[in-house]
Amino acid sequence: MDAQGRGRADNIDPADQWVLNPNTGEYELRLTPSAPQSGVPRPRRGSPANAGPGAGTRARRAPERESPATPGPDVPGPRRRRGAPAEPPPGRRKGRTKPTKSKAKKILLWTGGSMAFVLVAVSAAGYLYLKHLEGNVSTTDVGSAGKKGFSKDEAFNILIIGTDKRTGKGNEGYGDKGSVGHADTNILLHVSKDRTNATALSIPRDLIVDVPDCPTKQPDGSEKVVPGTQNVRFNTSLGQDGRDPGCTMRTVKAVTGISVDHFMMADFNAVKTLTSAVGGVDVCVAHAVNDKESHLKLPAGKSKVEGEQALAFVRTRHSFGNQGDLDRIKVQQQFLGSLMRKMSSSDTLTNPAKLISLAEAATKALTVDTGIGNVSTLKDVALELKKVPTKNITFTTVPVLDNPAEKVKATVVVNQSQAPAVFDAIKSDVSFTAVKQKEKKEKAEVAARLKGTRSAAADIRVDIYNGGAPGGSAQETLNWLQNTEGVPKSSQLGNAAAPLSKTTVEYSPDQADQARKLADLMGLSASALKPGKSEKNSQGLPAIVLTLGKDFKGAGVSLTTPTKAPEVDKSTADKTVCAS
């Protein structure tokens, strides 16, 4: 577009402001009509206002132009014709003539528009590439089993499923020909809210569980409920009777009490393509391995595996420990730790070819739920996980015991004396590694809420709301407080305006002694106390507000959350461990 048709000068491409003057054969600056330009440049900022009668106007170019009789410091002499000898201005020495316009500035102005075009082109190419990656991702709608979206401001739980699927490209030739794929490898990855730590909890495929009823989406959009089964292996929560990954997510919730937000599922081929994309993964074995079943052959010490060798490494269970699934889980954890280190290494992150190869491999290898089923969201998930230091990514396994119902030990059951503490630590966002604590001042202020006098139970005046607890919990708590704990001034007022994940007690400053006593009765930690305002009860008297959250376990059951994780058999993603 012509510069004169563009309107305001600040919308003009700099390259369009230079035009060829046929009289001189040189390019000259042309401004908008609102700011016409004369043959003599305008005075510089700070020059006298009376720069001459022609300043600020552009006259027709005459064949010959007279120069000012006495040029000032800001008015250059007349432009010389091409080939004509330069004439120095009066009073100035030859060789110090001021240049008309530097070539560098002209080039800069001309390339300004071109650079903008290049940037737009690159952005368009990036967008098109993202859309291409989008087409690689496979998704499954798991309905209410997971969340509809992803939040960067919350802790999140992702179930990573490795299937033993034997169908499709790259999955043939591993036995059980035609298998639709069960939940062969299962890792519940919990990433803390503050991104200081993460816990990868392995769930044995041979763990005996009850698989709940599972609503599954059908290809035609309808929903079919796959009936649950009791006392079966965990791996049957996927594939069996048409179960989808949502069924596995629901089974995890039934076993651990931990809600799963999303899932990522990969098959045999994914291990091969991902390891090749990063140029191989470093592993270590304490002794030489030659496994005829998995075809794994490695010398003692450190090796780099990719493709078929990487798959053989994570599949073998006859080369390490007691040749069982629990020992294979440890080897898989070590492998994943090494893969994480490799993916976050500078060798990968600064290599465009590797990054593109990794993006292609990852998007083609994964099946995810619709809540994270686009490239932009997957990128957000990856960036949030990248914030966690590898030294604070803990690998551990659900504490189990041999199945007491079996004479020949082939399956395991949850160790009820140890596992609940592990599950509670994850639900309470507690790290299994020593991480840098949050601001001590903030922690001290919270802890101080429980310090001070307590009122008598009979003096507590409290209104109870259900903010996400099971139905009837508010009435149950009211009966318990009145009849068991001696809190007669209590009322049950139905459901809260919005659900809460944690139970809270809100109170005004003059009710702090009542709040502390109620916290003692309920088994609440200091973080549950929320200083603020009270409300008027039905008699118009001030009452503290007890809102039962999703963590409510029943009247009289302590809600004190753990502040320290239990001791478990674990490893961390930053350390290389030799499989033995």
Side-chain angles (χ1 to χ4, degrees), residues 334-418:
Q334 294 162 16
F335 175 85
L336 285 175
S338 182
L339 179 59
M340 286 181 177
R341 293 193 298 273
K342 187 60 178 285
M343 292 175 68
S344 61
S345 69
S346 58
D347 178 54
T348 299
L349 296 178
T350 60
N351 188 323
K354 279 189 179 181
L355 286 176
I356 291 175
S357 180
L358 182 58
E360 291 283 355
T363 52
K364 288 178 181 177
L366 295 176
T367 298
V368 301
D369 60 281
T370 52
I372 55 173
N374 60 71
V375 172
S376 177
T377 306
L378 286 173
K379 176 205 68 178
D380 290 341
V381 173
L383 290 176
E384 292 304 304
L385 182 56
K386 187 176 181 295
K387 295 177 182 178
V388 183
T390 53
K391 67 179 182 179
N392 290 331
I393 300 177
T394 301
F395 290 100
T396 190
T397 304
V398 173
V400 295
L401 299 170
D402 287 333
N403 188 350
E406 295 176 336
K407 292 183 179 179
V408 178
K409 304 304 180 184
T411 61
V412 293
V413 296
V414 172
N415 185 336
Q416 294 297 341
S417 67
Q418 296 180 7

Coordinates of all heavy atoms in Angstrom, one line a residue, residues 334-418:
Q334 N 14.3 -47.3 37.8 CA 15.6 -46.8 37.5 C 15.7 -46.4 36.0 O 16.3 -45.3 35.7 CB 16.6 -48.0 37.7 CG 16.7 -48.4 39.2 CD 17.4 -49.7 39.4 OE1 18.0 -50.2 38.4 NE2 17.2 -50.3 40.5
F335 N 15.0 -47.1 35.1 CA 15.0 -46.7 33.7 C 14.3 -45.4 33.5 O 14.8 -44.5 32.8 CB 14.4 -47.8 32.9 CG 14.2 -47.5 31.4 CD1 15.2 -47.7 30.5 CD2 13.0 -46.9 31.0 CE1 15.1 -47.4 29.2 CE2 12.9 -46.6 29.6 CZ 13.9 -46.9 28.7
L336 N 13.2 -45.2 34.1 CA 12.4 -43.9 34.0 C 13.2 -42.8 34.6 O 13.2 -41.7 34.0 CB 11.1 -44.1 34.7 CG 10.0 -44.9 33.9 CD1 8.8 -45.0 34.8 CD2 9.7 -44.3 32.6
G337 N 13.9 -43.0 35.7 CA 14.7 -41.9 36.2 C 15.8 -41.5 35.2 O 16.1 -40.3 35.0
S338 N 16.4 -42.5 34.6 CA 17.5 -42.2 33.6 C 16.8 -41.5 32.4 O 17.4 -40.5 31.8 CB 18.1 -43.5 33.2 OG 19.2 -43.2 32.2
L339 N 15.7 -41.9 32.0 CA 15.0 -41.2 30.8 C 14.7 -39.8 31.2 O 14.8 -38.9 30.3 CB 13.7 -42.0 30.5 CG 12.9 -41.4 29.3 CD1 13.7 -41.4 28.0 CD2 11.6 -42.3 29.1
M340 N 14.2 -39.5 32.4 CA 13.9 -38.2 32.8 C 15.2 -37.3 32.8 O 15.1 -36.1 32.3 CB 13.3 -38.2 34.2 CG 11.9 -38.6 34.3 SD 11.3 -38.6 36.0 CE 9.6 -39.1 35.8
R341 N 16.3 -37.8 33.3 CA 17.5 -37.1 33.2 C 18.0 -36.8 31.8 O 18.4 -35.7 31.5 CB 18.6 -37.9 34.0 CG 18.4 -38.0 35.5 CD 19.7 -38.5 36.1 NE 20.1 -39.8 35.7 CZ 19.7 -41.0 36.2 NH1 18.8 -41.0 37.2 NH2 20.2 -42.1 35.8
K342 N 17.8 -37.7 30.9 CA 18.2 -37.5 29.5 C 17.3 -36.5 28.8 O 17.8 -35.6 28.1 CB 18.1 -38.9 28.8 CG 18.7 -38.8 27.4 CD 20.2 -38.4 27.4 CE 20.8 -38.4 26.0 NZ 21.0 -39.7 25.5
M343 N 16.0 -36.6 29.1 CA 15.1 -35.6 28.4 C 15.3 -34.2 28.9 O 15.0 -33.2 28.2 CB 13.6 -36.1 28.7 CG 13.3 -37.4 28.0 SD 11.6 -38.0 28.3 CE 10.6 -36.7 27.6
S344 N 15.7 -34.0 30.2 CA 15.9 -32.7 30.7 C 17.4 -32.2 30.6 O 17.7 -31.1 31.0 CB 15.5 -32.6 32.2 OG 16.3 -33.5 33.0
S345 N 18.2 -33.0 30.0 CA 19.6 -32.6 29.9 C 19.8 -31.6 28.8 O 19.0 -31.4 27.9 CB 20.5 -33.9 29.5 OG 20.2 -34.3 28.2
S346 N 20.9 -30.8 28.9 CA 21.2 -29.8 27.9 C 21.5 -30.4 26.6 O 21.2 -29.8 25.5 CB 22.5 -29.0 28.4 OG 23.6 -29.8 28.5
D347 N 22.0 -31.6 26.6 CA 22.2 -32.3 25.3 C 20.9 -32.5 24.5 O 21.0 -32.4 23.3 CB 22.8 -33.7 25.6 CG 23.1 -34.5 24.3 OD1 23.8 -33.9 23.4 OD2 22.6 -35.6 24.2
T348 N 19.8 -32.6 25.2 CA 18.5 -32.8 24.5 C 17.9 -31.4 24.3 O 17.4 -31.1 23.2 CB 17.6 -33.7 25.3 OG1 18.2 -35.0 25.5 CG2 16.2 -33.8 24.7
L349 N 17.9 -30.6 25.3 CA 17.1 -29.3 25.3 C 17.8 -28.3 24.3 O 17.1 -27.4 23.8 CB 17.0 -28.7 26.7 CG 16.3 -29.5 27.7 CD1 16.3 -28.8 29.0 CD2 14.8 -29.7 27.2
T350 N 19.1 -28.4 24.0 CA 19.7 -27.5 23.1 C 19.9 -28.0 21.7 O 20.6 -27.4 20.9 CB 21.1 -27.0 23.7 OG1 21.9 -28.2 23.8 CG2 21.0 -26.4 25.0
N351 N 19.3 -29.2 21.4 CA 19.4 -29.8 20.1 C 18.1 -29.8 19.4 O 17.2 -30.6 19.8 CB 19.9 -31.3 20.3 CG 20.3 -31.9 19.0 OD1 19.6 -31.7 18.0 ND2 21.3 -32.8 19.0
P352 N 17.9 -28.9 18.5 CA 16.6 -28.8 17.8 C 16.1 -30.1 17.2 O 15.0 -30.4 17.2 CB 16.8 -27.7 16.8 CG 17.9 -26.9 17.3 CD 18.8 -27.8 18.0
A353 N 17.1 -30.8 16.6 CA 16.7 -32.0 15.9 C 16.2 -33.1 16.9 O 15.2 -33.7 16.6 CB 17.9 -32.6 15.2
K354 N 16.8 -33.1 18.1 CA 16.3 -34.1 19.1 C 15.0 -33.7 19.6 O 14.1 -34.5 19.9 CB 17.4 -34.2 20.2 CG 18.5 -35.1 19.9 CD 19.3 -35.3 21.2 CE 20.5 -36.3 20.9 NZ 21.3 -36.5 22.2
L355 N 14.8 -32.3 19.8 CA 13.5 -31.9 20.4 C 12.4 -32.2 19.4 O 11.3 -32.6 19.8 CB 13.6 -30.4 20.6 CG 14.5 -30.0 21.9 CD1 14.6 -28.4 22.0 CD2 13.8 -30.5 23.1
I356 N 12.6 -31.9 18.1 CA 11.6 -32.2 17.1 C 11.3 -33.7 17.1 O 10.1 -34.2 17.1 CB 12.0 -31.7 15.8 CG1 12.0 -30.2 15.8 CG2 11.0 -32.2 14.7 CD1 12.5 -29.5 14.5
S357 N 12.4 -34.5 17.1 CA 12.2 -36.0 17.1 C 11.4 -36.4 18.3 O 10.6 -37.3 18.2 CB 13.6 -36.6 17.0 OG 13.4 -38.0 17.0
L358 N 11.8 -35.8 19.5 CA 11.1 -36.2 20.7 C 9.6 -35.8 20.7 O 8.8 -36.6 21.2 CB 11.8 -35.5 21.9 CG 11.3 -35.9 23.3 CD1 11.4 -37.4 23.6 CD2 12.1 -35.1 24.4
A359 N 9.3 -34.6 20.2 CA 8.0 -34.1 20.1 C 7.1 -35.1 19.2 O 6.0 -35.4 19.5 CB 7.9 -32.7 19.5
E360 N 7.7 -35.5 18.1 CA 7.0 -36.4 17.2 C 6.8 -37.7 17.9 O 5.7 -38.3 17.8 CB 7.8 -36.6 15.9 CG 7.9 -35.4 15.0 CD 6.7 -35.2 14.2 OE1 5.7 -36.0 14.3 OE2 6.6 -34.1 13.5
A361 N 7.8 -38.3 18.5 CA 7.7 -39.6 19.1 C 6.8 -39.6 20.3 O 5.9 -40.5 20.4 CB 9.1 -40.0 19.6
A362 N 6.8 -38.6 21.1 CA 6.0 -38.5 22.3 C 4.5 -38.4 21.9 O 3.6 -39.1 22.5 CB 6.4 -37.3 23.2
T363 N 4.2 -37.5 20.9 CA 2.8 -37.3 20.6 C 2.2 -38.5 19.9 O 1.0 -38.8 20.0 CB 2.6 -36.0 19.7 OG1 3.5 -36.1 18.6 CG2 2.8 -34.8 20.5
K364 N 3.1 -39.2 19.1 CA 2.6 -40.4 18.4 C 2.5 -41.6 19.4 O 1.7 -42.5 19.2 CB 3.5 -40.8 17.3 CG 3.5 -39.9 16.1 CD 4.5 -40.3 15.0 CE 4.4 -39.3 13.8 NZ 5.4 -39.7 12.8
A365 N 3.3 -41.6 20.4 CA 3.3 -42.8 21.3 C 2.3 -42.8 22.4 O 1.9 -43.8 22.9 CB 4.7 -42.8 22.0
L366 N 1.8 -41.6 22.7 CA 0.9 -41.5 23.9 C -0.6 -41.5 23.5 O -1.0 -40.9 22.5 CB 1.1 -40.2 24.7 CG 2.5 -40.1 25.3 CD1 2.7 -38.7 26.0 CD2 2.7 -41.1 26.4
T367 N -1.4 -42.1 24.4 CA -2.8 -41.9 24.4 C -3.2 -41.3 25.7 O -2.7 -41.7 26.7 CB -3.6 -43.3 24.2 OG1 -3.3 -43.9 23.0 CG2 -5.1 -43.1 24.3
V368 N -4.0 -40.2 25.7 CA -4.3 -39.4 26.9 C -5.8 -39.2 27.0 O -6.5 -39.4 26.0 CB -3.5 -38.1 26.9 CG1 -2.0 -38.3 26.9 CG2 -3.9 -37.2 25.8
D369 N -6.2 -38.7 28.1 CA -7.6 -38.4 28.3 C -7.9 -37.0 27.6 O -7.0 -36.2 27.4 CB -8.0 -38.3 29.8 CG -7.2 -37.3 30.5 OD1 -6.1 -37.6 30.9 OD2 -7.8 -36.2 30.8
T370 N -9.1 -36.8 27.3 CA -9.5 -35.6 26.6 C -9.2 -34.3 27.4 O -9.1 -33.2 26.8 CB -11.0 -35.6 26.2 OG1 -11.8 -35.9 27.4 CG2 -11.3 -36.7 25.2
G371 N -9.1 -34.4 28.7 CA -8.8 -33.2 29.6 C -7.4 -32.6 29.3 O -7.2 -31.4 29.5
I372 N -6.5 -33.4 28.8 CA -5.2 -32.9 28.4 C -4.8 -33.3 27.0 O -3.7 -33.4 26.6 CB -4.1 -33.5 29.4 CG1 -4.1 -35.0 29.4 CG2 -4.2 -32.9 30.8 CD1 -2.9 -35.6 30.2
G373 N -5.9 -33.5 26.2 CA -5.7 -34.1 24.8 C -5.3 -33.1 23.7 O -5.7 -33.3 22.6
N374 N -4.7 -32.0 24.1 CA -4.1 -31.2 23.0 C -2.7 -30.8 23.3 O -2.2 -30.9 24.5 CB -5.0 -29.9 22.8 CG -5.0 -29.1 24.1 OD1 -4.1 -28.4 24.5 ND2 -6.2 -29.0 24.7
V375 N -1.9 -30.4 22.3 CA -0.5 -30.2 22.4 C -0.2 -29.1 23.4 O 0.8 -29.2 24.2 CB 0.1 -29.9 21.0 CG1 1.6 -29.5 21.2 CG2 0.0 -31.2 20.2
S376 N -1.0 -28.0 23.4 CA -0.7 -26.9 24.3 C -0.8 -27.3 25.7 O 0.0 -27.0 26.6 CB -1.8 -25.8 24.0 OG -1.6 -24.7 24.9
T377 N -1.8 -28.1 26.1 CA -2.0 -28.6 27.5 C -0.9 -29.6 27.8 O -0.4 -29.6 28.9 CB -3.4 -29.2 27.7 OG1 -4.4 -28.3 27.2 CG2 -3.6 -29.6 29.1
L378 N -0.5 -30.5 26.9 CA 0.5 -31.4 27.2 C 1.8 -30.7 27.4 O 2.7 -31.1 28.3 CB 0.7 -32.4 26.0 CG -0.4 -33.5 25.9 CD1 -0.2 -34.2 24.6 CD2 -0.3 -34.4 27.1
K379 N 2.0 -29.6 26.7 CA 3.2 -28.8 26.9 C 3.2 -28.2 28.3 O 4.2 -28.1 29.0 CB 3.3 -27.6 25.9 CG 4.4 -26.6 26.0 CD 4.1 -25.3 25.4 CE 3.0 -24.6 26.2 NZ 2.6 -23.3 25.7
D380 N 2.0 -27.7 28.7 CA 1.9 -27.1 30.1 C 2.2 -28.2 31.2 O 2.9 -27.9 32.1 CB 0.5 -26.6 30.3 CG 0.2 -25.3 29.5 OD1 1.2 -24.7 29.1 OD2 -1.0 -25.0 29.3
V381 N 1.7 -29.4 31.0 CA 2.0 -30.5 31.9 C 3.5 -30.7 32.0 O 4.1 -30.8 33.1 CB 1.3 -31.8 31.5 CG1 1.7 -32.9 32.4 CG2 -0.3 -31.6 31.6
A382 N 4.1 -30.8 30.8 CA 5.6 -31.0 30.8 C 6.4 -29.9 31.5 O 7.3 -30.2 32.2 CB 6.0 -31.2 29.3
L383 N 6.0 -28.7 31.2 CA 6.7 -27.5 31.8 C 6.5 -27.5 33.4 O 7.4 -27.2 34.1 CB 6.2 -26.2 31.2 CG 6.6 -26.0 29.8 CD1 6.0 -24.7 29.3 CD2 8.1 -26.0 29.6
E384 N 5.3 -27.9 33.8 CA 5.1 -27.9 35.3 C 6.0 -29.1 35.9 O 6.6 -28.9 37.0 CB 3.6 -28.2 35.6 CG 2.8 -27.0 35.3 CD 3.2 -25.7 35.9 OE1 3.3 -25.7 37.2 OE2 3.5 -24.7 35.2
L385 N 6.0 -30.2 35.2 CA 6.8 -31.3 35.8 C 8.3 -30.9 35.7 O 9.1 -31.3 36.6 CB 6.6 -32.6 34.9 CG 7.3 -33.8 35.4 CD1 7.1 -34.1 36.8 CD2 6.9 -35.0 34.5
K386 N 8.7 -30.2 34.7 CA 10.1 -29.8 34.6 C 10.6 -28.9 35.7 O 11.8 -28.9 36.0 CB 10.3 -29.0 33.2 CG 11.8 -28.7 32.9 CD 11.9 -28.1 31.5 CE 13.3 -27.8 31.2 NZ 14.0 -26.8 32.1
K387 N 9.7 -28.3 36.4 CA 10.0 -27.4 37.6 C 10.5 -28.2 38.7 O 11.2 -27.7 39.6 CB 8.8 -26.6 38.0 CG 8.4 -25.6 37.0 CD 7.1 -24.8 37.4 CE 6.6 -23.8 36.4 NZ 5.4 -23.1 36.9
V388 N 10.2 -29.5 38.8 CA 10.5 -30.4 39.9 C 12.0 -30.9 39.8 O 12.3 -31.5 38.8 CB 9.6 -31.6 40.0 CG1 9.9 -32.4 41.3 CG2 8.1 -31.1 40.1
P389 N 12.8 -30.6 40.8 CA 14.2 -31.1 40.7 C 14.2 -32.6 40.7 O 13.5 -33.3 41.4 CB 14.9 -30.6 42.0 CG 14.0 -29.4 42.4 CD 12.6 -29.8 42.0
T390 N 15.1 -33.2 39.8 CA 15.1 -34.7 39.8 C 15.5 -35.3 41.1 O 15.0 -36.4 41.4 CB 16.1 -35.1 38.7 OG1 17.4 -34.5 39.0 CG2 15.6 -34.8 37.3
K391 N 16.2 -34.6 41.9 CA 16.6 -35.2 43.2 C 15.4 -35.3 44.2 O 15.4 -36.0 45.2 CB 17.6 -34.3 43.9 CG 17.2 -32.9 44.3 CD 18.3 -32.2 45.0 CE 17.8 -30.8 45.5 NZ 18.9 -30.0 46.2
N392 N 14.3 -34.6 43.8 CA 13.1 -34.7 44.6 C 11.9 -35.4 44.0 O 10.8 -35.3 44.4 CB 12.6 -33.3 45.0 CG 13.5 -32.6 46.0 OD1 14.2 -33.3 46.8 ND2 13.6 -31.3 45.9
I393 N 12.3 -36.2 42.9 CA 11.3 -37.1 42.3 C 11.5 -38.5 42.9 O 12.5 -39.1 42.6 CB 11.4 -37.1 40.8 CG1 11.2 -35.7 40.2 CG2 10.4 -38.1 40.2 CD1 11.3 -35.6 38.7
T394 N 10.6 -38.9 43.7 CA 10.8 -40.2 44.4 C 10.0 -41.3 43.7 O 8.9 -41.2 43.3 CB 10.2 -40.1 45.9 OG1 10.9 -39.0 46.5 CG2 10.4 -41.4 46.6
F395 N 10.7 -42.4 43.5 CA 10.1 -43.7 43.0 C 9.9 -44.6 44.2 O 10.9 -44.9 44.9 CB 11.0 -44.3 42.0 CG 11.0 -43.6 40.7 CD1 12.1 -42.8 40.4 CD2 10.0 -43.7 39.7 CE1 12.2 -42.1 39.2 CE2 10.1 -43.0 38.5 CZ 11.2 -42.2 38.3
T396 N 8.7 -45.1 44.4 CA 8.4 -46.1 45.4 C 7.3 -47.0 44.9 O 6.7 -46.7 43.8 CB 8.1 -45.5 46.7 OG1 8.0 -46.5 47.8 CG2 6.7 -44.7 46.7
T397 N 6.9 -48.0 45.7 CA 5.9 -49.0 45.3 C 4.9 -49.1 46.4 O 5.2 -49.0 47.6 CB 6.6 -50.3 45.0 OG1 7.6 -50.1 44.0 CG2 5.6 -51.3 44.4
V398 N 3.6 -49.4 46.0 CA 2.6 -49.7 47.0 C 3.1 -50.8 48.0 O 3.5 -51.9 47.5 CB 1.3 -50.1 46.4 CG1 0.3 -50.6 47.4 CG2 0.7 -49.0 45.5
P399 N 3.2 -50.6 49.3 CA 3.6 -51.7 50.2 C 2.6 -52.9 50.0 O 1.4 -52.7 50.1 CB 3.5 -51.0 51.6 CG 3.6 -49.5 51.3 CD 2.9 -49.3 50.0
V400 N 3.2 -54.0 49.8 CA 2.4 -55.2 49.6 C 2.9 -56.4 50.4 O 4.0 -56.4 50.9 CB 2.3 -55.6 48.1 CG1 1.7 -54.5 47.3 CG2 3.7 -55.9 47.6
L401 N 2.0 -57.4 50.5 CA 2.4 -58.7 51.1 C 2.0 -59.8 50.1 O 1.1 -59.6 49.2 CB 1.6 -58.9 52.4 CG 1.8 -57.9 53.5 CD1 0.8 -58.2 54.6 CD2 3.3 -58.1 54.1
D402 N 2.7 -61.0 50.2 CA 2.3 -62.1 49.4 C 0.8 -62.4 49.7 O 0.4 -62.3 50.9 CB 3.1 -63.3 49.7 CG 4.5 -63.2 49.1 OD1 4.7 -62.5 48.1 OD2 5.5 -63.8 49.7
N403 N 0.1 -62.9 48.7 CA -1.3 -63.2 48.9 C -1.5 -64.4 49.8 O -1.0 -65.5 49.5 CB -1.9 -63.5 47.5 CG -3.5 -63.7 47.6 OD1 -4.0 -63.7 48.7 ND2 -4.1 -63.7 46.5
P404 N -2.0 -64.2 51.0 CA -2.1 -65.3 52.0 C -3.1 -66.5 51.5 O -3.0 -67.6 52.1 CB -2.7 -64.7 53.3 CG -3.4 -63.5 52.8 CD -2.6 -63.0 51.6
A405 N -3.9 -66.2 50.5 CA -4.8 -67.2 50.0 C -4.2 -68.2 49.1 O -4.8 -69.2 48.7 CB -6.0 -66.5 49.3
E406 N -2.9 -67.9 48.7 CA -2.2 -68.8 47.7 C -1.2 -69.6 48.4 O -0.4 -69.2 49.2 CB -1.6 -67.9 46.6 CG -2.6 -67.1 45.8 CD -1.9 -66.2 44.8 OE1 -0.7 -65.8 45.0 OE2 -2.5 -65.9 43.8
K407 N -1.1 -70.9 47.9 CA 0.0 -71.7 48.4 C 1.3 -71.5 47.5 O 2.4 -71.4 48.0 CB -0.4 -73.2 48.3 CG -1.5 -73.6 49.3 CD -1.8 -75.1 49.1 CE -2.9 -75.5 50.2 NZ -3.2 -76.9 50.1
V408 N 1.0 -71.3 46.2 CA 2.1 -70.9 45.3 C 2.0 -69.4 45.1 O 1.0 -69.0 44.5 CB 2.0 -71.7 44.0 CG1 3.1 -71.2 43.0 CG2 2.1 -73.2 44.2
K409 N 3.0 -68.7 45.6 CA 2.9 -67.2 45.6 C 3.0 -66.6 44.2 O 4.1 -66.7 43.6 CB 3.9 -66.6 46.6 CG 3.8 -67.2 48.0 CD 2.5 -67.0 48.6 CE 2.4 -67.6 50.0 NZ 1.0 -67.5 50.6
A410 N 1.9 -66.1 43.7 CA 1.9 -65.5 42.4 C 1.4 -64.1 42.4 O 1.7 -63.3 41.5 CB 1.1 -66.4 41.4
T411 N 0.6 -63.8 43.4 CA 0.0 -62.4 43.5 C 0.3 -61.8 44.8 O 0.8 -62.5 45.7 CB -1.5 -62.5 43.2 OG1 -2.1 -63.3 44.3 CG2 -1.9 -63.1 41.9
V412 N -0.1 -60.5 45.0 CA 0.2 -59.8 46.2 C -1.1 -59.1 46.6 O -2.0 -58.8 45.8 CB 1.4 -58.8 46.1 CG1 2.7 -59.5 45.9 CG2 1.1 -57.8 44.9
V413 N -1.1 -58.6 47.9 CA -2.2 -57.8 48.4 C -1.6 -56.6 49.1 O -0.5 -56.6 49.5 CB -3.1 -58.6 49.4 CG1 -3.8 -59.8 48.7 CG2 -2.3 -59.1 50.6
V414 N -2.5 -55.6 49.3 CA -2.0 -54.4 50.0 C -1.7 -54.6 51.4 O -2.4 -55.3 52.1 CB -3.1 -53.3 49.9 CG1 -2.8 -52.1 50.7 CG2 -3.4 -52.9 48.5
N415 N -0.5 -54.1 51.8 CA -0.1 -54.2 53.2 C -0.8 -53.2 54.0 O -0.4 -52.0 54.0 CB 1.4 -54.0 53.3 CG 1.9 -54.3 54.7 OD1 1.2 -54.1 55.7 ND2 3.2 -54.6 54.8
Q416 N -1.9 -53.5 54.7 CA -2.7 -52.6 55.4 C -2.1 -51.9 56.6 O -2.6 -50.9 57.1 CB -4.0 -53.3 55.8 CG -4.9 -53.8 54.7 CD -5.4 -52.6 53.8 OE1 -5.4 -51.4 54.2 NE2 -5.8 -52.9 52.6
S417 N -1.0 -52.4 57.0 CA -0.3 -51.8 58.2 C 0.7 -50.7 57.7 O 1.1 -49.8 58.5 CB 0.5 -52.8 59.0 OG 1.6 -53.3 58.2
Q418 N 1.0 -50.7 56.4 CA 2.0 -49.7 55.9 C 1.4 -48.8 54.8 O 1.7 -47.6 54.7 CB 3.2 -50.4 55.4 CG 4.0 -51.2 56.4 CD 5.3 -51.9 55.8 OE1 5.6 -51.7 54.7 NE2 5.9 -52.7 56.6

